[in-house]
Amino acid sequence: MIDHPDHKVAFITGGAQGLGLGIAQHLLKSWWKVMMFDRDEEAGHEVMAALDDETRTRCLFFPGDVSNEKDVAIAVQRTIDRFGRIDGLVNNAGIANPHSGSVEHLDWDDWQRVINVNLGGVFLTTKHATQHLRKTSGAIVNITSTRAFQSEPDTESYAASKGGIVALTHALAVSLSGDVRVNAIAPGWIEVSDWQKQSNKSSPDHSETDKSQHPVGRVGTPEDIAQAVSFLLDPAQSGFMTGETIRIDGGMTHKMIYAE
């Protein structure tokens, strides 16, 4: 393959399914090279097998856990060994609350697992990728959530982890100023049921009530977020932005809701 002159390299956590896969495919279509780092090995191999020959040469999958520093360090080095550089880091990997009860019954281990993956994973990948991002004047995009700003009952660990990403984003933006830009996206309801591996995939079915909760009239898609990620990674489009968190939720969090 003749290398495309605009090839840049993105490292995407949680890149084999859901929102991360949507981001990975969008960047691949835009001529990026992509490392998908994901703990679901089956999903990763499914994605790689489905790519055409040319695209497969620009994509790498490595299985691992973002909360395991050894896994992260190896994945970053594999990216450098294969592609020689990292221009963009997309910290997307995350898990939901494993516990659905009240805070007084929340196990410490359950709390810590969510914090370690959702927030700790952002720290670890940033720690190991930053030296390479400095060389390319690269950018980091952290995926947080509107749950950083509003909550449902019994979601303390998830809300805390996503709020922590917002704070970590502006802290890193200051620490890495002049070398690496760091921004975040807070998605709202993004439908990913049809972006799972085959054994978990299902077709979305949204009611009119689901759609009407959003001023734009629909539920979000991975492409909605992927386009914003592409914008934030591109210094020609967002070179004067760092430390920011962009809320992308179809206007849902701006709509007043009254209990009946």
Side-chain angles (χ1 to χ4, degrees):
M1 181 190 71
I2 298 175
D3 201 30
H4 192 281
D6 296 329
H7 276 323
K8 290 186 176 182
V9 178
F11 186 106
I12 304 174
T13 69
Q17 293 190 95
L19 180 55
L21 177 57
I23 295 168
Q25 291 197 354
H26 179 90
L27 292 179
L28 285 168
K29 290 176 182 176
S30 301
W31 291 101
W32 282 69
K33 296 176 181 177
V34 170
M35 158 63 95
M36 298 183 302
F37 181 51
D38 197 296
R39 65 177 181 170
D40 194 319
E41 194 164 355
E42 180 183 19
H45 291 316
E46 276 189 15
V47 173
M48 293 297 294
L51 297 175
D52 63 54
D53 291 344
E54 188 282 325
T55 306
R56 195 177 298 116
T57 66
R58 292 187 285 109
C59 192
L60 180 65
F61 168 71
F62 185 78
D65 187 335
V66 292
S67 67
N68 182 310
E69 185 164 10
K70 182 179 179 181
D71 285 357
V72 172
I74 292 172
V76 169
Q77 188 57 51
R78 290 284 181 88
T79 307
I80 297 302
D81 292 343
R82 172 71 177 273
F83 299 131
R85 59 189 290 160
I86 298 176
D87 300 88
L89 170 61
V90 183
N91 285 309
N92 164 76
I95 58 174
N97 272 36
H99 167 82
S100 59
S102 60
V103 65
E104 60 261 48
H105 300 295
L106 175 59
D107 290 337
W108 174 251
D109 288 345
D110 287 342
W111 162 275
Q112 201 61 52
R113 177 60 180 161
V114 175
I115 299 297
N116 285 348
V117 172
N118 294 4
L119 182 56
V122 175
F123 163 71
L124 287 176
T125 51
T126 301
K127 173 183 176 180
H128 287 276
T130 290
Q131 62 177 310
H132 306 293
L133 290 164
R134 287 187 193 274
K135 295 175 182 177
T136 60
S137 297
I140 298 172
V141 180
N142 297 323
I143 305 298
T144 178
S145 170
T146 52
R147 298 303 181 91
F149 312 107
Q150 59 177 30
S151 293
E152 290 182 307
D154 306 323
T155 59
E156 281 73 22
S157 58
Y158 188 79
S161 70
K162 293 300 185 178
I165 292 173
V166 173
L168 182 57
T169 295
H170 60 70
L172 288 169
V174 173
S175 296
L176 303 179
S177 61
D179 293 326
V180 180
R181 293 182 303 107
V182 188
N183 291 288
I185 296 172
W189 182 352
I190 306 299
E191 181 58 68
V192 296
S193 60
D194 52 343
W195 286 81
Q196 308 301 316
K197 62 183 179 181
Q198 288 298 325
S199 59
N200 291 340
K201 185 176 293 188
S202 61
S203 297
D205 182 17
H206 301 134
S207 68
E208 290 306 312
T209 300
D210 294 335
K211 298 173 185 177
S212 67
Q213 293 181 71
H214 301 79
V216 299
R218 64 174 176 84
V219 174
T221 69
E223 183 66 14
D224 293 319
I225 306 303
Q227 290 178 7
V229 169
S230 182
F231 167 76
L232 290 174
L233 290 178
D234 186 349
Q237 298 185 73
S238 58
F240 198 55
M241 290 182 64
T242 195
E244 293 299 322
T245 296
I246 303 173
R247 197 177 313 194
I248 304 178
D249 66 349
M252 191 177 185
T253 55
H254 292 296
K255 186 172 182 179
M256 294 285 292
I257 298 176
Y258 296 93
E260 294 182 356

PDB file of all heavy atoms in Angstrom, residues 96-120:
ATOM      1  N   ALA A  96     -20.574   0.593  33.063  1.00  0.00           N
ATOM      2  CA  ALA A  96     -21.677   1.152  33.837  1.00  0.00           C
ATOM      3  C   ALA A  96     -21.626   0.618  35.264  1.00  0.00           C
ATOM      4  O   ALA A  96     -20.792  -0.238  35.595  1.00  0.00           O
ATOM      5  CB  ALA A  96     -23.006   0.785  33.184  1.00  0.00           C
ATOM      6  N   ASN A  97     -22.518   1.129  36.103  1.00  0.00           N
ATOM      7  CA  ASN A  97     -22.584   0.654  37.478  1.00  0.00           C
ATOM      8  C   ASN A  97     -22.868  -0.838  37.524  1.00  0.00           C
ATOM      9  O   ASN A  97     -23.882  -1.293  37.002  1.00  0.00           O
ATOM     10  CB  ASN A  97     -23.724   1.377  38.216  1.00  0.00           C
ATOM     11  CG  ASN A  97     -23.277   2.679  38.835  1.00  0.00           C
ATOM     12  OD1 ASN A  97     -22.455   3.370  38.265  1.00  0.00           O
ATOM     13  ND2 ASN A  97     -23.807   3.006  39.984  1.00  0.00           N
ATOM     14  N   PRO A  98     -22.003  -1.640  38.162  1.00  0.00           N
ATOM     15  CA  PRO A  98     -22.335  -3.051  38.332  1.00  0.00           C
ATOM     16  C   PRO A  98     -23.354  -3.265  39.451  1.00  0.00           C
ATOM     17  O   PRO A  98     -23.899  -4.344  39.612  1.00  0.00           O
ATOM     18  CB  PRO A  98     -20.982  -3.671  38.702  1.00  0.00           C
ATOM     19  CG  PRO A  98     -20.261  -2.573  39.401  1.00  0.00           C
ATOM     20  CD  PRO A  98     -20.697  -1.299  38.713  1.00  0.00           C
ATOM     21  N   HIS A  99     -23.612  -2.193  40.205  1.00  0.00           N
ATOM     22  CA  HIS A  99     -24.478  -2.268  41.378  1.00  0.00           C
ATOM     23  C   HIS A  99     -25.658  -1.323  41.184  1.00  0.00           C
ATOM     24  O   HIS A  99     -25.500  -0.216  40.713  1.00  0.00           O
ATOM     25  CB  HIS A  99     -23.673  -1.836  42.611  1.00  0.00           C
ATOM     26  CG  HIS A  99     -24.504  -1.563  43.826  1.00  0.00           C
ATOM     27  ND1 HIS A  99     -24.933  -2.573  44.643  1.00  0.00           N
ATOM     28  CD2 HIS A  99     -24.964  -0.413  44.358  1.00  0.00           C
ATOM     29  CE1 HIS A  99     -25.634  -2.033  45.638  1.00  0.00           C
ATOM     30  NE2 HIS A  99     -25.658  -0.731  45.483  1.00  0.00           N
ATOM     31  N   SER A 100     -26.849  -1.770  41.482  1.00  0.00           N
ATOM     32  CA  SER A 100     -28.034  -0.941  41.257  1.00  0.00           C
ATOM     33  C   SER A 100     -28.765  -0.572  42.540  1.00  0.00           C
ATOM     34  O   SER A 100     -29.859  -0.029  42.501  1.00  0.00           O
ATOM     35  CB  SER A 100     -29.009  -1.675  40.311  1.00  0.00           C
ATOM     36  OG  SER A 100     -29.391  -2.919  40.881  1.00  0.00           O
ATOM     37  N   GLY A 101     -28.170  -0.851  43.681  1.00  0.00           N
ATOM     38  CA  GLY A 101     -28.819  -0.533  44.948  1.00  0.00           C
ATOM     39  C   GLY A 101     -28.384   0.817  45.495  1.00  0.00           C
ATOM     40  O   GLY A 101     -27.646   1.566  44.856  1.00  0.00           O
ATOM     41  N   SER A 102     -28.837   1.124  46.697  1.00  0.00           N
ATOM     42  CA  SER A 102     -28.558   2.416  47.308  1.00  0.00           C
ATOM     43  C   SER A 102     -27.106   2.507  47.775  1.00  0.00           C
ATOM     44  O   SER A 102     -26.418   1.497  47.933  1.00  0.00           O
ATOM     45  CB  SER A 102     -29.495   2.641  48.501  1.00  0.00           C
ATOM     46  OG  SER A 102     -29.310   1.626  49.470  1.00  0.00           O
ATOM     47  N   VAL A 103     -26.655   3.726  48.026  1.00  0.00           N
ATOM     48  CA  VAL A 103     -25.249   3.959  48.320  1.00  0.00           C
ATOM     49  C   VAL A 103     -24.789   3.224  49.576  1.00  0.00           C
ATOM     50  O   VAL A 103     -23.631   2.782  49.657  1.00  0.00           O
ATOM     51  CB  VAL A 103     -24.975   5.476  48.434  1.00  0.00           C
ATOM     52  CG1 VAL A 103     -25.710   6.082  49.630  1.00  0.00           C
ATOM     53  CG2 VAL A 103     -23.477   5.746  48.488  1.00  0.00           C
ATOM     54  N   GLU A 104     -25.672   3.050  50.556  1.00  0.00           N
ATOM     55  CA  GLU A 104     -25.238   2.376  51.783  1.00  0.00           C
ATOM     56  C   GLU A 104     -24.976   0.886  51.579  1.00  0.00           C
ATOM     57  O   GLU A 104     -24.398   0.221  52.444  1.00  0.00           O
ATOM     58  CB  GLU A 104     -26.240   2.591  52.927  1.00  0.00           C
ATOM     59  CG  GLU A 104     -27.635   2.083  52.673  1.00  0.00           C
ATOM     60  CD  GLU A 104     -28.571   3.191  52.233  1.00  0.00           C
ATOM     61  OE1 GLU A 104     -28.181   3.963  51.330  1.00  0.00           O
ATOM     62  OE2 GLU A 104     -29.679   3.281  52.784  1.00  0.00           O
ATOM     63  N   HIS A 105     -25.365   0.372  50.419  1.00  0.00           N
ATOM     64  CA  HIS A 105     -25.105  -1.040  50.112  1.00  0.00           C
ATOM     65  C   HIS A 105     -24.121  -1.208  48.950  1.00  0.00           C
ATOM     66  O   HIS A 105     -23.931  -2.323  48.455  1.00  0.00           O
ATOM     67  CB  HIS A 105     -26.410  -1.758  49.780  1.00  0.00           C
ATOM     68  CG  HIS A 105     -27.400  -1.740  50.894  1.00  0.00           C
ATOM     69  ND1 HIS A 105     -27.181  -2.369  52.107  1.00  0.00           N
ATOM     70  CD2 HIS A 105     -28.621  -1.135  50.995  1.00  0.00           C
ATOM     71  CE1 HIS A 105     -28.221  -2.171  52.902  1.00  0.00           C
ATOM     72  NE2 HIS A 105     -29.102  -1.422  52.255  1.00  0.00           N
ATOM     73  N   LEU A 106     -23.499  -0.120  48.548  1.00  0.00           N
ATOM     74  CA  LEU A 106     -22.536  -0.171  47.454  1.00  0.00           C
ATOM     75  C   LEU A 106     -21.209  -0.720  47.964  1.00  0.00           C
ATOM     76  O   LEU A 106     -20.581  -0.144  48.849  1.00  0.00           O
ATOM     77  CB  LEU A 106     -22.335   1.235  46.875  1.00  0.00           C
ATOM     78  CG  LEU A 106     -21.272   1.409  45.788  1.00  0.00           C
ATOM     79  CD1 LEU A 106     -21.563   0.526  44.585  1.00  0.00           C
ATOM     80  CD2 LEU A 106     -21.179   2.870  45.362  1.00  0.00           C
ATOM     81  N   ASP A 107     -20.777  -1.849  47.408  1.00  0.00           N
ATOM     82  CA  ASP A 107     -19.513  -2.452  47.816  1.00  0.00           C
ATOM     83  C   ASP A 107     -18.338  -1.597  47.348  1.00  0.00           C
ATOM     84  O   ASP A 107     -18.350  -1.060  46.236  1.00  0.00           O
ATOM     85  CB  ASP A 107     -19.363  -3.861  47.224  1.00  0.00           C
ATOM     86  CG  ASP A 107     -20.320  -4.865  47.843  1.00  0.00           C
ATOM     87  OD1 ASP A 107     -20.775  -4.623  48.976  1.00  0.00           O
ATOM     88  OD2 ASP A 107     -20.595  -5.883  47.188  1.00  0.00           O
ATOM     89  N   TRP A 108     -17.321  -1.535  48.189  1.00  0.00           N
ATOM     90  CA  TRP A 108     -16.128  -0.775  47.835  1.00  0.00           C
ATOM     91  C   TRP A 108     -15.499  -1.297  46.555  1.00  0.00           C
ATOM     92  O   TRP A 108     -15.066  -0.516  45.708  1.00  0.00           O
ATOM     93  CB  TRP A 108     -15.114  -0.842  48.976  1.00  0.00           C
ATOM     94  CG  TRP A 108     -13.802  -0.195  48.642  1.00  0.00           C
ATOM     95  CD1 TRP A 108     -12.605  -0.813  48.410  1.00  0.00           C
ATOM     96  CD2 TRP A 108     -13.557   1.204  48.471  1.00  0.00           C
ATOM     97  NE1 TRP A 108     -11.621   0.104  48.114  1.00  0.00           N
ATOM     98  CE2 TRP A 108     -12.194   1.358  48.153  1.00  0.00           C
ATOM     99  CE3 TRP A 108     -14.365   2.340  48.572  1.00  0.00           C
ATOM    100  CZ2 TRP A 108     -11.603   2.595  47.923  1.00  0.00           C
ATOM    101  CZ3 TRP A 108     -13.786   3.584  48.339  1.00  0.00           C
ATOM    102  CH2 TRP A 108     -12.415   3.699  48.018  1.00  0.00           C
ATOM    103  N   ASP A 109     -15.459  -2.603  46.382  1.00  0.00           N
ATOM    104  CA  ASP A 109     -14.849  -3.175  45.183  1.00  0.00           C
ATOM    105  C   ASP A 109     -15.615  -2.782  43.920  1.00  0.00           C
ATOM    106  O   ASP A 109     -15.013  -2.532  42.869  1.00  0.00           O
ATOM    107  CB  ASP A 109     -14.776  -4.697  45.283  1.00  0.00           C
ATOM    108  CG  ASP A 109     -13.722  -5.164  46.278  1.00  0.00           C
ATOM    109  OD1 ASP A 109     -12.866  -4.354  46.679  1.00  0.00           O
ATOM    110  OD2 ASP A 109     -13.758  -6.357  46.656  1.00  0.00           O
ATOM    111  N   ASP A 110     -16.961  -2.716  43.998  1.00  0.00           N
ATOM    112  CA  ASP A 110     -17.765  -2.294  42.853  1.00  0.00           C
ATOM    113  C   ASP A 110     -17.492  -0.822  42.529  1.00  0.00           C
ATOM    114  O   ASP A 110     -17.349  -0.444  41.364  1.00  0.00           O
ATOM    115  CB  ASP A 110     -19.257  -2.490  43.137  1.00  0.00           C
ATOM    116  CG  ASP A 110     -19.662  -3.951  43.122  1.00  0.00           C
ATOM    117  OD1 ASP A 110     -18.892  -4.775  42.573  1.00  0.00           O
ATOM    118  OD2 ASP A 110     -20.739  -4.278  43.651  1.00  0.00           O
ATOM    119  N   TRP A 111     -17.462  -0.001  43.583  1.00  0.00           N
ATOM    120  CA  TRP A 111     -17.141   1.415  43.401  1.00  0.00           C
ATOM    121  C   TRP A 111     -15.774   1.569  42.737  1.00  0.00           C
ATOM    122  O   TRP A 111     -15.626   2.277  41.744  1.00  0.00           O
ATOM    123  CB  TRP A 111     -17.151   2.121  44.756  1.00  0.00           C
ATOM    124  CG  TRP A 111     -16.442   3.448  44.787  1.00  0.00           C
ATOM    125  CD1 TRP A 111     -15.107   3.655  44.983  1.00  0.00           C
ATOM    126  CD2 TRP A 111     -17.016   4.741  44.582  1.00  0.00           C
ATOM    127  NE1 TRP A 111     -14.815   4.997  44.933  1.00  0.00           N
ATOM    128  CE2 TRP A 111     -15.969   5.686  44.686  1.00  0.00           C
ATOM    129  CE3 TRP A 111     -18.305   5.192  44.341  1.00  0.00           C
ATOM    130  CZ2 TRP A 111     -16.173   7.050  44.548  1.00  0.00           C
ATOM    131  CZ3 TRP A 111     -18.510   6.562  44.206  1.00  0.00           C
ATOM    132  CH2 TRP A 111     -17.463   7.480  44.303  1.00  0.00           C
ATOM    133  N   GLN A 112     -14.780   0.874  43.280  1.00  0.00           N
ATOM    134  CA  GLN A 112     -13.412   1.043  42.810  1.00  0.00           C
ATOM    135  C   GLN A 112     -13.230   0.548  41.381  1.00  0.00           C
ATOM    136  O   GLN A 112     -12.455   1.138  40.613  1.00  0.00           O
ATOM    137  CB  GLN A 112     -12.447   0.285  43.735  1.00  0.00           C
ATOM    138  CG  GLN A 112     -11.025   0.784  43.667  1.00  0.00           C
ATOM    139  CD  GLN A 112     -10.899   2.243  44.091  1.00  0.00           C
ATOM    140  OE1 GLN A 112     -11.360   2.652  45.151  1.00  0.00           O
ATOM    141  NE2 GLN A 112     -10.279   3.051  43.238  1.00  0.00           N
ATOM    142  N   ARG A 113     -13.959  -0.510  40.993  1.00  0.00           N
ATOM    143  CA  ARG A 113     -13.833  -1.025  39.630  1.00  0.00           C
ATOM    144  C   ARG A 113     -14.292   0.015  38.611  1.00  0.00           C
ATOM    145  O   ARG A 113     -13.633   0.236  37.590  1.00  0.00           O
ATOM    146  CB  ARG A 113     -14.659  -2.304  39.473  1.00  0.00           C
ATOM    147  CG  ARG A 113     -14.670  -2.891  38.056  1.00  0.00           C
ATOM    148  CD  ARG A 113     -13.300  -3.264  37.570  1.00  0.00           C
ATOM    149  NE  ARG A 113     -13.336  -3.828  36.223  1.00  0.00           N
ATOM    150  CZ  ARG A 113     -12.282  -3.910  35.413  1.00  0.00           C
ATOM    151  NH1 ARG A 113     -11.104  -3.469  35.821  1.00  0.00           N
ATOM    152  NH2 ARG A 113     -12.399  -4.441  34.207  1.00  0.00           N
ATOM    153  N   VAL A 114     -15.409   0.684  38.884  1.00  0.00           N
ATOM    154  CA  VAL A 114     -15.900   1.717  37.962  1.00  0.00           C
ATOM    155  C   VAL A 114     -14.923   2.889  37.895  1.00  0.00           C
ATOM    156  O   VAL A 114     -14.604   3.385  36.800  1.00  0.00           O
ATOM    157  CB  VAL A 114     -17.299   2.204  38.383  1.00  0.00           C
ATOM    158  CG1 VAL A 114     -17.761   3.364  37.508  1.00  0.00           C
ATOM    159  CG2 VAL A 114     -18.309   1.061  38.296  1.00  0.00           C
ATOM    160  N   ILE A 115     -14.431   3.328  39.025  1.00  0.00           N
ATOM    161  CA  ILE A 115     -13.469   4.432  39.053  1.00  0.00           C
ATOM    162  C   ILE A 115     -12.182   4.034  38.330  1.00  0.00           C
ATOM    163  O   ILE A 115     -11.617   4.814  37.540  1.00  0.00           O
ATOM    164  CB  ILE A 115     -13.162   4.866  40.493  1.00  0.00           C
ATOM    165  CG1 ILE A 115     -14.433   5.363  41.211  1.00  0.00           C
ATOM    166  CG2 ILE A 115     -12.072   5.942  40.511  1.00  0.00           C
ATOM    167  CD1 ILE A 115     -15.061   6.588  40.599  1.00  0.00           C
ATOM    168  N   ASN A 116     -11.698   2.830  38.581  1.00  0.00           N
ATOM    169  CA  ASN A 116     -10.443   2.383  37.972  1.00  0.00           C
ATOM    170  C   ASN A 116     -10.527   2.319  36.455  1.00  0.00           C
ATOM    171  O   ASN A 116      -9.581   2.681  35.752  1.00  0.00           O
ATOM    172  CB  ASN A 116     -10.047   1.007  38.520  1.00  0.00           C
ATOM    173  CG  ASN A 116      -9.507   1.078  39.930  1.00  0.00           C
ATOM    174  OD1 ASN A 116      -9.204   2.143  40.453  1.00  0.00           O
ATOM    175  ND2 ASN A 116      -9.398  -0.079  40.566  1.00  0.00           N
ATOM    176  N   VAL A 117     -11.662   1.828  35.935  1.00  0.00           N
ATOM    177  CA  VAL A 117     -11.810   1.701  34.486  1.00  0.00           C
ATOM    178  C   VAL A 117     -12.112   3.056  33.853  1.00  0.00           C
ATOM    179  O   VAL A 117     -11.403   3.519  32.945  1.00  0.00           O
ATOM    180  CB  VAL A 117     -12.922   0.690  34.126  1.00  0.00           C
ATOM    181  CG1 VAL A 117     -13.201   0.712  32.619  1.00  0.00           C
ATOM    182  CG2 VAL A 117     -12.514  -0.712  34.557  1.00  0.00           C
ATOM    183  N   ASN A 118     -13.158   3.713  34.322  1.00  0.00           N
ATOM    184  CA  ASN A 118     -13.641   4.922  33.649  1.00  0.00           C
ATOM    185  C   ASN A 118     -12.702   6.115  33.809  1.00  0.00           C
ATOM    186  O   ASN A 118     -12.483   6.868  32.851  1.00  0.00           O
ATOM    187  CB  ASN A 118     -15.024   5.289  34.177  1.00  0.00           C
ATOM    188  CG  ASN A 118     -16.072   4.256  33.828  1.00  0.00           C
ATOM    189  OD1 ASN A 118     -15.782   3.217  33.243  1.00  0.00           O
ATOM    190  ND2 ASN A 118     -17.308   4.530  34.197  1.00  0.00           N
ATOM    191  N   LEU A 119     -12.177   6.297  35.000  1.00  0.00           N
ATOM    192  CA  LEU A 119     -11.299   7.435  35.268  1.00  0.00           C
ATOM    193  C   LEU A 119      -9.827   7.030  35.247  1.00  0.00           C
ATOM    194  O   LEU A 119      -9.001   7.681  34.613  1.00  0.00           O
ATOM    195  CB  LEU A 119     -11.659   8.068  36.614  1.00  0.00           C
ATOM    196  CG  LEU A 119     -10.866   9.308  37.050  1.00  0.00           C
ATOM    197  CD1 LEU A 119     -10.948  10.409  35.999  1.00  0.00           C
ATOM    198  CD2 LEU A 119     -11.375   9.808  38.401  1.00  0.00           C
ATOM    199  N   GLY A 120      -9.524   5.923  35.905  1.00  0.00           N
ATOM    200  CA  GLY A 120      -8.141   5.454  35.928  1.00  0.00           C
ATOM    201  C   GLY A 120      -7.629   5.116  34.547  1.00  0.00           C
ATOM    202  O   GLY A 120      -6.449   5.343  34.230  1.00  0.00           O
TER     203      GLY A 120
END
